[in-house]
Amino acid sequence: MKFIDSFIFSTRTDIRILRHVVFWLLDCFVIALVLSAETSKIIPQLFMERLAIAPLAAAITYFIIYFLLPGYSKDRDWIRLTLGLVLAVFFVLYGMRVYRVFVIDPMFTNI
């Protein structure tokens, strides 16, 4: 139990980074597991595709959580916060699709 407590509640930078890496790896695994549910086995290509998308998804998530929300909600600058969230949603809807079509799909078409 001491290991789990020190892993979850630690403020050390290296453990915090490890905690984030473990979270995103588990996220990739769970999404690959759900997407490959029809075949009853995890398809490695799905996991690798999710792993390639994870850095961009993490960047968008951390941009919202650590920059937009604290910066603009603290100052009660609701217009900039709303504009930032709209731009983030646009990037998620459009930018992730472009990234997937032009970067991810060509990497995994011959596997």
Side-chain angles (χ1 to χ4, degrees), residues 2 8 15-17 19 27 29 44 53 65 68-69 94:
K2 186 165 174 58
I8 293 174
I15 293 178
R16 290 182 69 203
I17 290 171
R19 195 169 47 223
D27 177 67
F29 178 75
I53 291 173
I65 292 172
L68 282 181
L69 292 178
Y94 182 72

Side-chain angles (χ1 to χ4, degrees), residues 33 60 68 70 78 85 89:
L33 182 69
I60 295 166
L68 282 181
W78 303 116
L85 290 173
V89 166

Side-chain angles (χ1 to χ4, degrees), residues 87-101:
L87 289 174
V89 166
F90 175 77
F91 186 76
V92 166
L93 296 176
Y94 182 72
M96 290 290 277
R97 178 68 185 154
V98 169
Y99 179 72
R100 184 174 185 87
V101 167

Side-chain angles (χ1 to χ4, degrees), residues 29-43 46:
F29 178 75
V30 168
I31 290 175
L33 182 69
V34 169
L35 291 176
S36 62
E38 294 175 358
T39 63
S40 72
K41 65 178 183 176
I42 295 178
I43 301 170
L46 286 174

Side-chain angles (χ1 to χ4, degrees), residues 28 31-32 35-36 43-51 100:
C28 293
I31 290 175
L35 291 176
S36 62
I43 301 170
Q45 181 177 351
L46 286 174
F47 179 73
M48 296 303 290
E49 286 177 5
R50 288 303 308 168
L51 206 56
R100 184 174 185 87

